[in-house]
C-alpha cells in the first residue's frame, strides 16, 4: 500500500468535500481492500480527483453503483474506488431527435422510466443488478436478452465525455447518431472496463417503444424437439427479438423451455404468434406469459450467474450454438443454462468445488475455441480466477491493445490487471 | 521520421524499389508512367489533385504486406484506394505516396447463410454481394448510393452509410471482422467474426479510420434477411418546410422507416433532365421517398400513418410505388442524383453534414439563404430521416471567384450545422477536404486522443498521410512527428 494515502485523502477531501471521501473497510475486491472510496459530484471533480490520484501514484477503480467491481480478472492494485453515482443528471433529452445526454451515474432503470413517458426507450436489458448505471453498462458493454432484436451498448453510445487519468478531459463522438467525423473512439471506450478513462457523460440514441410485446414459452418432451422447432422458427418469416433455450430455469418436467419474444406493432406481434402456433403440431405446450412473469424469466435467463458460484458465458458461431449447448448440458447436467439462439451466446451457472470448476471451465473454453468461439468467466472463486484469464487469450492483438493502454494510462493506474493481457 | 517535403512536381519511386514492387506483385501490376497515373490523381472530390508516385495492384493480403514492407523500409508513404468514389479526397496520394489499389482483391470468399455472414476480399464491389445473396433471401444492408462502384474495403474505411442505414445502421454495424495489413506490413485480424472478441474493440476503432490505420484485405460482414414486405411512398410537397416537418413528425411518431429521403426541386430537375429520369414531378418544391419494410402485416398500418402525416403537412399527393419495377426506378433515380447534378455545371461540390432532425426546417431555410448570399446554386438530396444533409453546390471550377464563393458557402453551411448540434460529416468522412473543419467540433484534447490511437496502428505516419486530423495538431501521448500537409 502506498504510504501517502493520508495526504491523498486530505487532498481529495479538499476537492470534493470530506463527506465524499471515505476510508474503506467493508468493500473487498477479492484479496484487496481499497483504501478510499470517493464520490465526486461532477465531471470537473472527477477530473481533478484523477489528477490528484495520478500524482500520488494511486490505482483508481472507476465505479458506478459498485455492484460488479469484481468482474474481469483480479485487480493487481486498488487504492481508490471512484464512484460516479452522484453524477446522475439527465443533461438533455430531446424526444424528437431520439437522443439523450446523461451523466454516467444515471441508473438505467430511472432513465427508462423517464423516456417511457415519451414513448421511447434505450433498448438494453443488460445482465446485472437493477440499479446498474448507464456509465457502467457502457464500460462493460453489457447486453442481455434483447440483443438479437436491438443490439448492444456499442450500437447506442453516440458520444462520450471522458476524464483521463492525467486530469485532462476529452469528448468522443457527438450528439447525432450518424457521425463519421474523426476516429470512432466511442467504440474503444465502450467495453474497456474502466481501463482507459472514466466516462462522465454518455450520449445515447433511443428508439421508439414498440406498440406491443409478447413472450411465449414452449416446452416439449425432449430437448431435440425444441431445438428442431427453434430451427424452423428461425427459418420462417417471424423475427423474434429474443429466442432462448433454457435449462433448469423453469418448472417443467424436462426442465427445458424455448422462450420467444416479439416486439412490434400489435398486428405484427399477433401475426407472429399465430405463425409460431402453426409450427407446433400438438406435441408442444405453449403459453403466452403475463408481463411480470415474462420479465422475471428473461432476467433469470441472462443472470444465470446469480444462481450458482460458477458462471461462464460462451460466445459461439450461430451455426454451432445448439450443438455446443447440448455439449454444455451433458458436461454439467445439474446446472442452470440458457442459450441465445439468435446471437450465439450460452450462459451457464453451476456449483462445484474449485478444482472441479477449473477443469470444467478449461474444458468448456476449449469447446468454445474449437468452434471459433470464446468463453468469458462471469463468476468464480478467487483461486480459479487467479488461474484462468477471464476472457482468454487475445493473441497477436495484445501488442496493439497494450499500445493503446500505454498511451491512455501510461502509469497503469486505471483498474490495473482487470482487463485482458494483464492490462 | 523526417517530414517528407512536398513539391508539386511528380516524383518517381527509385527504380530499385519499382523492381522490388514488380517482383512482389508482377510486372503488369505496378504503374509508374505519368499517363497511367493520371486517373489516380483525384477521387470523386475532383478539386484536389495529386499525382501518386506509383500505383500498385496486389492480388492477395500477402502481396499487400510485401508491398507495404518494401515501401516502409524506404520511408515511402502509401495510400490505400478502393474504387476512388470517395467524396472527401481520402485516397489522394499526398506526399508522393504510392497508391495501393484493391481492385484485384475482388473475390467473394464465402457466403454462409447458417451463420448469416459473408467473407469478402476488400476490393469486392458493394452491390455484388447483395446480388449474390438476394436470390437466397439475404442482402448486405449498407447501400451507399455509389454501391454499383464502391468497394467493401472503402466502405469499411469510411464507415459508409446509405438510404437504408436509417433502419439498418451504418457499415460499422455490419462488419464482424476484418483482416488488415498494418502499416508495418504485419497481417492481423480484428473482430470476432460473429462471436464476442476479447479486449478493446479494435475493429470498432478501425472502421471509419479512412485508410490511416492500415489496409483492409478481407472483411467478414453480416448478411441481413430481405424484408417480407416493402412499401415505397413518394410524397409531393409544395414547400421544403412542409416536407421537413413531415420528416420530423414521422420519426417523432415512432415510425422507423427503412429509408426516408428528401429530394428538392433543383435536384429533381437535374435528375429528370438526365438519362436517370425517375418520373418525378418537376413542379413540386420537394419530394420525400418513404420506404417502410418488415412483416407484410405491419407495414400497411405504418405506411398509412406516414401518408396521413404527409397529407396533414399539405402534401399535394402521396404516391405508392405499385410494383418492384416502379420502386427500382424511383431508387435508381435517387441514387444517381449526384451523377445527374454533376451535369448541371462543370463541377459539383457534394457536401455532407448532419443535424438533429428536429432542426431540419430552420437549417434547410438557412442553407438556401447562404447559397443565395453567395450567388450559388444549391441542390439538396439527402437522408432526411437521420438528419444527414447533402447540400450540393454546382459551379465552374475555372471561375476563381466562384470557387472562392463555394468554399465560403461550404464553410458557412458546416458552421450552421455544427451550431444546430450536428456534425461535419455523416458518411463521406473527413479525408482531406474536411480536415480544417475538425476544429469546429473537436478540441485539441479530443484530437490528441484520436492521434494517440492512430499512433498505435500507424506509428510512422506513412499510411495515408495528411488525412483526418489537421497536421497542426500534435499529440503529447504519441511518439511520431507531424505529418506534412499542404493543400497544393
Ligand atoms: C455518386 C456517389 C454517391 C455516393 N453515395 C454515398 C452514400 O450514399 N453514402 C456514403 O457513405 N458514401 C457515398 N459516396 C462516397 C463513397 O462512395 C464512399 O465513401 C465509399 O465507401 C468509398 O469506397 P471506394 O471503394 O470508392 O473507396 P475510395 O474512394 O477508393 O477510398 C475511400 C477511403 O478509404 C480508404 N480505403 C479504400 N480502400 C481501403 C482498404 N482496402 N483499406 C484501407 N483503406 C481503404 C482510402 O484510403 C480512402 O481514405 C458516394 C460517392 C459517389 C461518387
Amino acid at each position: 500500500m502506498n504510504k501517502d494515502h493520508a495526504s491523498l485523502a486530505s487532498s481529495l477531501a479538499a476537492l470534493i468535500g470530506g463527506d465524499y471521501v471515505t476510508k474503506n473497510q467493508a468493500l473487498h475486491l477479492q484479496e484487496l481492500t481499497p483504501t478510499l472510496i470517493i464520490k465526486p459530484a461532477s465531471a470537473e471533480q472527477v477530473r481533478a480527483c484523477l489528477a490528484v490520484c495520478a500524482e500520488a501514484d494511486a490505482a483508481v477503480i472507476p465505479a458506478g453503483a459498485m455492484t460488479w467491481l469484481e468482474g474481469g480478472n483480479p485487480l493487481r492494485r486498488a487504492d481508490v474506488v471512484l464512484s460516479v453515482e452522484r453524477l446522475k443528471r439527465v443533461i438533455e433529452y430531446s424526444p424528437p431527435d431520439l437522443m439523450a445526454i446523461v451523466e454516467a451515474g444515471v441508473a438505467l432503470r430511472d432513465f427508462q422510466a423517464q423516456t417511457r413517458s415519451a414513448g421511447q426507450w434505450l433498448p438494453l436489458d443488460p445482465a446485472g443488478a437493477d440499479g446498474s448505471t448507464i456509465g457502467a453498462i457502457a464500460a462493460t458493454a453489457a447486453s442481455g436478452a434483447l440483443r438479437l432484436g436491438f443490439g448492444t451498448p456499442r450500437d447506442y453510445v453516440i458520444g462520450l465525455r471522458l476524464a483521463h487519468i492525467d486530469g485532462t478531459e476529452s469528448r468522443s463522438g457527438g450528439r447525432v447518431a450518424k457521425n463519421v467525423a474523426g476516429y470512432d473512439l466511442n467504440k474503444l471506450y465502450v467495453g474497456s472496463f474502466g481501463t482507459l478513462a472514466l466516462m462522465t457523460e454518455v450520449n445515447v440514441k433511443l428508439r421508439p417503444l414498440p406498440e406491443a410485446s409478447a413472450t411465449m414459452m414452449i416446452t416439449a418432451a425432449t430437448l431435440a424437439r425444441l431445438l428442431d422447432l427453434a430451427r424452423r422458427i428461425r427459418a420462417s418469416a417471424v423475427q423474434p427479438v429474443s429466442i432462448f433455450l433454457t435449462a433448469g430455469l423453469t418448472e417443467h418436467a424436462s426442465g427445458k423451455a424455448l422462450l420467444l419474444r416479439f416486439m412490434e406493432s400489435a398486428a405484427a406481434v399477433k401475426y407472429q404468434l399465430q405463425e409460431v402456433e402453426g409450427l407446433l403440431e400438438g406435441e408442444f405446450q405453449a403459453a403466452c406469459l403475463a408481463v411480470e412473469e415474462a420479465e422475471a424469466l428473461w432476467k433469470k435467463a441472462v443472470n444465470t450467474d446469480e444462481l450458482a458460484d460458477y458462471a461462464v458465458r460462451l460466445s459461439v458461431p450461430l451455426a454451432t450454438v445448439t450443438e455446443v449447448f447440448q455439449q454444455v448440458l451433458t458436461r454439467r447436467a445439474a446446472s442452470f443454462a440458457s442459450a441465445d439462439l439468435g446471437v450465439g451466446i450460452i450462459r451457464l451457472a453451476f456449483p462445484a468445488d474449485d478444482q472441479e470448476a477449473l477443469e470444467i471451465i478449461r474444458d468448456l473454453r476449449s469447446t468454445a475455441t474449437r468452434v471459433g468461439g470464446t468463453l468469458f468467466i462471469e463468476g468464480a472463486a478467487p483461486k480459479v480466477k487467479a488461474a484462468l484469464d477471464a476472457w482468454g487469450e487475445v493473441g497477436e492483438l495484445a501488442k496493439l491493445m497494450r499500445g493503446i493502454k500505454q498511451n491512455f494510462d501510461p502509469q497503469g493506474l486505471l483498474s490495473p490487471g482487470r482487463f485482458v493481457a494483464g492490462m | 521520421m523526417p517530414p517528407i517535403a512536398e513539391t508539386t512536381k511528380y516524383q518517381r519511386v527509385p527504380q530499385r524499389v519499382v523492381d522490388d514492387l514488380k517482383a512482389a506483385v508482377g510486372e503488369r501490376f505496378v504503374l509508374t508512367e505519368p499517363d497511367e497515373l493520371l486517373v489516380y490523381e483525384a477521387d470523386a472530390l475532383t478539386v484536389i489533385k495529386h499525382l501518386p508516385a506509383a500505383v500498385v495492384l496486389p492480388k492477395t493480403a500477402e502481396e499487400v504486406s510485401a508491398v507495404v514492407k518494401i515501401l516502409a523500409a524506404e520511408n515511402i508513404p502509401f495510400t490505400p484506394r478502393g474504387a476512388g468514389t470517395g467524396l472527401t479526397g481520402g485516397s489522394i496520394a499526398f506526399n508522393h505516396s504510392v497508391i495501393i489499389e484493391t481492385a484485384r482483391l475482388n473475390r467473394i470468399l464465402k457466403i454462409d447463410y447458417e451463420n448469416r455472414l459473408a467473407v469478402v476480399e476488400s476490393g469486392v464491389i458493394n452491390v455484388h454481394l447483395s446480388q449474390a445473396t438476394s436470390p437466397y433471401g439475404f442482402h448486405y444492408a449498407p447501400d451507399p448510393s455509389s454501391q454499383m462502384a464502391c468497394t467493401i474495403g472503402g466502405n469499411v474505411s469510411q464507415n459508409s452509410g446509405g438510404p437504408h442505414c436509417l433502419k439498418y445502421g451504418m457499415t460499422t454495424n455490419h462488419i464482424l471482422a476484418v483482416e488488415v495489413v498494418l502499416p508495418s506490413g504485419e497481417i492481423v485480424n480484428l473482430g470476432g467474426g460473429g462471436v464476442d472478441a476479447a479486449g478493446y474493440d479494435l475493429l470498432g476503432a478501425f472502421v471509419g479510420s479512412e485508410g490511416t490505420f492500415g489496409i483492409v484485405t478481407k472483411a467478414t460482414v453480416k448478411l441481413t434477411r430481405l424484408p417480407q414486405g416493402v412499401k415505397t411512398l413518394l410524397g409531393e410537397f409544395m414547400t421544403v418546410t412542409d416536407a421537413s416537418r413531415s420528416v420530423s413528425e414521422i420519426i417523432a411518431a415512432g415510425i422507423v422507416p427503412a429509408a426516408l429521403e428528401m429530394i428538392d426541386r433543383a435536384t429533381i430537375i437535374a435528375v429528370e433532365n438526365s438519362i436517370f429520369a425517375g418520373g418525378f414531378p418537376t413542379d413540386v418544391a420537394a419530394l420525400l421517398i418513404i420506404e417502410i419494410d418488415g412483416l407484410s402485416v405491419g407495414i400497411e398500418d405504418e405506411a398509412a400513418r406516414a401518408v396521413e402525416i404527409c397529407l396533414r403537412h399539405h402534401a399535394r399527393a402521396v404516391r405508392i410505388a405499385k410494383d418492384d419495377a416502379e420502386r427500382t426506378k424511383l431508387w435508381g433515380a435517387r441514387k444517381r442524383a449526384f451523377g445527374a447534378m454533376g451535369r448541371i455545371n462543370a463541377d459539383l461540390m457534394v457536401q455532407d453534414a448532419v443535424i438533429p432532425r428536429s432542426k431540419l426546417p430552420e437549417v434547410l431555410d438557412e442553407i438556401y439563404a447562404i447559397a443565395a448570399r453567395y450567388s450559388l446554386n444549391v441542390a439538396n438530396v439527402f437522408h432526411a430521416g437521420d438528419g444527414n444533409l447533402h447540400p450540393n453546390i454546382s459551379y465552374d471550377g475555372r471561375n476563381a471567384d466562384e470557387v472562392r464563393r463555394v468554399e465560403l458557402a461550404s464553410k458557412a453551411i458546416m458552421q450552421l450545422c455544427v451550431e444546430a448540434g450536428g456534425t461535419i460529416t455523416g458518411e463521406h468522412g473527413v479525408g482531406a477536404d474536411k480536415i480544417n473543419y475538425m476544429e469546429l467540433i473537436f478540441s485539441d484534447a479530443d484530437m490528441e486522443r484520436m492521434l494517440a490511437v492512430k499512433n498505435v496502428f500507424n506509428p510512422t505516419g506513412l499510411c495515408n498521410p495528411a488525412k483526418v486530423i489537421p497536421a497542426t495538431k500534435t499529440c503529447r501521448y504519441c511518439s511520431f512527428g507531424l505529418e506534412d500537409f499542404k493543400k497544393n
Side-chain angles (χ1 to χ4, degrees):
Chain A
M1 278 289 125
N2 196 293
K3 56 223 176 286
D4 265 355
H5 284 170
S7 73
L8 176 61
S10 55
S11 318
L12 290 169
L15 286 173
I16 65 173
D19 289 352
Y20 300 106
V21 179
T22 21
K23 291 236 153 51
N24 172 49
Q25 258 122 35
L27 178 71
H28 307 289
L29 303 175
Q30 274 120 21
E31 323 279 63
L32 304 176
T33 307
T35 319
L36 301 172
I37 297 177
I38 62 173
K39 296 184 177 174
S42 65
E44 288 72 24
Q45 286 193 358
V46 171
R47 212 143 61 87
C49 290
L50 286 177
V52 167
C53 291
E55 183 66 42
D57 196 37
V60 179
I61 316 305
M66 301 199 287
T67 55
W68 201 51
L69 294 180
E70 302 199 0
N73 291 312
L75 292 161
R76 263 196 310 273
R77 289 173 59 197
D79 300 317
V80 177
V81 172
L82 191 162
S83 162
V84 295
E85 69 174 36
R86 291 171 69 215
L87 277 70
K88 53 161 127 236
R89 281 181 311 148
V90 171
I91 294 172
E92 187 180 333
Y93 172 31
S94 173
D97 295 316
L98 292 150
M99 187 281 304
I101 301 176
V102 302
E103 287 190 318
V106 171
L108 177 63
R109 186 188 40 201
D110 299 342
F111 181 61
Q112 300 287 38
Q114 183 175 349
T115 57
R116 199 169 297 124
S117 55
Q120 299 179 351
W121 66 328
L122 183 58
L124 299 172
D125 60 344
D130 251 359
S132 292
T133 58
I134 290 178
I137 291 165
T140 57
S143 62
L146 289 169
R147 180 164 166 181
L148 172 62
F150 299 98
T152 68
R154 183 191 203 261
D155 306 313
Y156 292 90
V157 173
I158 59 171
L160 290 168
R161 183 176 181 188
L162 303 135
H164 297 283
I165 188 69
D166 58 5
T168 60
E169 159 167 291
S170 74
R171 288 177 194 267
S172 61
R175 306 155 44 99
V176 283
K178 208 172 174 187
N179 185 1
V180 296
Y183 303 130
D184 189 358
L185 300 197
N186 292 331
K187 299 283 186 298
L188 268 189
Y189 296 115
V190 170
S192 66
F193 279 75
T195 60
L196 293 178
L198 250 123
M199 299 174 181
T200 54
E201 285 171 21
V202 185
N203 307 359
V204 289
K205 69 170 183 189
L206 303 168
R207 309 246 325 185
L209 265 177
E211 184 189 7
S213 168
T215 292
M216 192 184 221
M217 178 162 81
I218 305 168
T219 55
T222 64
L223 177 63
R225 293 208 55 82
L226 285 178
L227 288 172
D228 177 59
L229 175 65
R231 195 185 45 73
R232 285 185 290 134
I233 290 172
R234 292 275 291 153
S236 77
V238 306
Q239 306 265 333
V241 297
S242 317
I243 173 166
F244 270 54
L245 204 59
T246 62
L249 300 180
T250 55
E251 324 268 310
H252 290 281
S254 72
K256 317 280 191 300
L258 181 65
L259 299 179
L260 297 171
R261 176 160 53 184
F262 299 101
M263 284 185 169
E264 248 172 283
S265 67
V269 168
K270 188 167 152 220
Y271 162 81
Q272 295 183 91
L273 291 173
Q274 283 166 351
E275 286 291 293
V276 173
E277 273 157 19
L279 296 171
L280 294 181
E281 312 144 2
E283 294 163 63
F284 298 93
Q285 293 81 54
C288 278
L289 305 184
V291 178
E292 297 79 43
E293 193 185 350
E295 286 284 299
L297 199 50
W298 286 117
K299 236 175 150 39
K300 217 162 151 187
V302 294
N303 283 294
T304 42
D305 58 324
E306 288 169 7
L307 301 172
D309 288 345
Y310 284 92
V312 294
R313 189 176 75 221
L314 288 75
S315 171
V316 297
L318 272 185
T320 66
V321 63
T322 56
E323 168 206 325
V324 175
F325 192 54
Q326 282 169 294
Q327 284 176 29
V328 163
L329 292 182
T330 23
R331 186 72 179 84
R332 265 331 283 187
S335 49
F336 312 96
S338 70
D340 183 336
L341 302 179
V343 177
I345 301 278
I346 294 169
R347 296 175 170 89
L348 174 73
F350 54 92
D353 65 45
D354 290 2
Q355 192 47 43
E356 196 189 1
L358 201 65
E359 275 163 35
I360 293 171
I361 295 173
R362 281 212 177 104
D363 193 38
L364 291 172
R365 183 167 272 165
S366 71
T367 304
T369 316
R370 220 170 16 246
V371 296
T374 54
L375 177 145
F376 174 67
I377 303 172
E378 306 220 48
K383 246 206 205 134
V384 173
K385 280 203 145 187
L388 293 172
D389 190 283
W391 283 272
E393 294 299 311
V394 293
E396 60 183 8
L397 299 182
K399 204 169 82 191
L400 290 171
M401 291 183 192
R402 288 209 181 95
I404 290 170
K405 171 76 175 173
Q406 171 67 26
N407 281 352
F408 281 75
D409 178 20
Q411 292 165 268
L413 294 177
L414 288 170
S415 294
R418 188 182 193 191
F419 205 42
V420 299
M423 291 187 295
Chain B
M1 191 194 84
I4 295 153
E6 180 77 68
T7 61
T8 44
K9 275 195 18 231
Y10 160 66
Q11 183 176 305
R12 274 181 187 281
V13 176
Q15 189 56 42
R16 142 184 76 74
V17 179
V18 171
D19 292 342
D20 288 350
L21 292 172
K22 286 185 171 168
V25 301
E27 188 79 31
R28 285 195 298 141
F29 301 112
V30 180
L31 315 179
T32 52
E33 291 312 311
D35 59 331
E36 297 172 311
L37 302 178
L38 209 56
V39 291
Y40 294 95
E41 72 173 352
D43 64 2
L45 172 87
T46 49
V47 288
I48 308 176
K49 294 190 170 77
H50 279 251
L51 213 55
V55 174
V56 186
L57 291 111
K59 177 71 187 155
T60 62
E62 289 68 31
E63 287 188 9
V64 173
S65 163
V67 167
V68 165
K69 281 179 179 158
I70 293 166
L71 296 171
E74 298 287 332
N75 245 338
I76 298 172
F78 42 91
T79 293
R81 179 172 166 122
T85 67
L87 289 163
T88 51
S91 61
I92 296 171
F94 285 127
N95 297 357
H96 308 290
S97 62
V98 170
I99 283 183
I100 300 177
E101 194 187 35
T102 57
R104 293 175 68 225
L105 290 153
N106 58 0
R107 289 174 307 160
I108 296 176
L109 299 174
K110 180 162 104 179
I111 293 178
D112 177 352
Y113 295 112
E114 254 198 294
N115 284 309
R116 303 200 173 182
L117 57 81
V119 182
V120 300
E121 289 185 324
S122 57
V124 166
I125 306 294
N126 173 300
V127 80
H128 290 174
L129 184 54
S130 291
Q131 281 167 349
T133 55
S134 59
Y136 302 90
F138 287 85
H139 66 142
Y140 172 63
D143 61 337
S145 301
S146 52
Q147 72 186 136
M148 308 293 274
C150 65
T151 65
I152 301 281
N155 298 166
V156 168
S157 307
Q158 302 288 73
N159 188 13
S160 298
H164 290 83
C165 292
L166 175 59
K167 177 168 176 183
Y168 292 98
M170 302 279 285
T171 298
T172 193
N173 303 108
H174 296 269
I175 303 298
L176 301 171
V178 287
E179 179 191 78
V180 171
V181 175
L182 293 177
S184 61
E186 196 185 334
I187 302 175
V188 296
N189 290 281
L190 311 178
V195 307
D196 290 348
Y200 298 127
D201 184 1
L202 299 178
L203 173 65
F206 188 94
V207 175
S209 61
E210 304 198 25
T212 65
F213 283 10
I215 303 176
V216 187
T217 46
K218 284 191 194 84
T220 304
V221 306
K222 259 188 217 169
L223 294 178
T224 305
R225 280 260 292 264
L226 287 167
Q228 191 184 47
V230 183
K231 272 213 172 324
T232 310
L233 317 176
L234 188 70
E236 305 177 2
F237 294 85
M238 302 316 283
T239 69
V240 170
T241 308
D242 282 336
S244 7
R245 292 216 172 110
S246 304
V247 170
S248 305
E249 200 174 322
I250 287 170
I251 300 292
I255 300 171
V256 185
L260 178 43
E261 304 276 306
M262 196 189 301
I263 310 173
D264 75 355
R265 177 191 232 125
T267 311
I268 297 167
I269 289 171
V271 170
E272 290 305 307
N273 284 337
S274 77
I275 52 164
F276 312 123
F280 294 147
T282 49
D283 59 343
V284 295
L287 292 170
L288 288 183
I289 300 182
I290 309 165
E291 187 153 282
I292 312 264
D293 73 8
L295 292 169
S296 304
V297 287
I299 60 177
E300 294 293 336
D301 177 51
E302 287 216 326
R305 284 165 61 209
V307 170
E308 192 268 321
I309 290 170
C310 292
L311 293 176
R312 196 145 29 81
H313 289 285
H314 322 293
R316 179 178 75 178
V318 184
R319 229 181 341 135
I320 300 186
K322 59 179 186 308
D323 53 23
D324 256 7
E326 192 175 340
R327 186 178 163 252
T328 310
K329 193 170 169 201
L330 281 182
W331 279 116
R334 157 63 188 93
K335 290 196 173 174
R336 290 181 179 88
F338 292 170
M341 279 185 270
R343 288 174 184 77
I344 301 178
N345 207 331
D347 297 280
L348 180 72
M349 170 57 95
V350 174
Q351 275 303 355
D352 169 40
V354 185
I355 55 163
R357 38 210 141 191
S358 61
K359 303 261 169 65
L360 272 175
E362 304 96 277
V363 172
L364 281 176
D365 280 352
E366 187 54 30
I367 287 175
Y368 290 111
I370 290 171
R373 203 146 64 231
Y374 291 101
S375 317
L376 293 167
N377 290 316
V378 65
N380 279 294
V381 49
F382 63 99
H383 314 304
D386 32 33
N388 187 183
L389 307 176
H390 292 319
N392 303 323
I393 304 173
S394 47
Y395 67 102
D396 183 348
R398 290 159 302 189
N399 178 339
D401 177 60
E402 200 171 36
V403 171
R404 194 185 53 86
R405 283 182 280 121
V406 170
E407 270 173 28
L408 293 173
S410 296
K411 176 137 200 208
I413 290 171
M414 284 303 135
Q415 260 158 347
L416 171 71
C417 294
V418 170
E419 277 157 26
T423 185
I424 59 168
T425 168
E427 55 179 23
H428 295 167
V430 174
D433 184 42
K434 294 219 161 139
I435 205 158
N436 294 322
Y437 298 147
M438 283 288 279
E439 284 173 314
L440 295 178
I441 47 170
F442 291 118
S443 70
D444 284 359
D446 302 343
M447 285 189 268
E448 264 185 45
R449 295 291 161 182
M450 292 182 192
L451 286 173
V453 176
K454 176 186 169 180
N455 181 40
V456 172
F457 283 93
N458 185 11
T460 59
L462 286 175
C463 191
N464 207 4
K467 306 287 163 63
V468 187
I469 312 276
T472 49
K473 301 296 164 223
T474 52
C475 173
R476 275 177 294 155
Y477 313 101
C478 312
S479 47
F480 75 104
L482 281 185
E483 290 170 339
D484 187 47
F485 175 67
K486 288 191 208 131
K487 212 161 173 174
N488 291 302

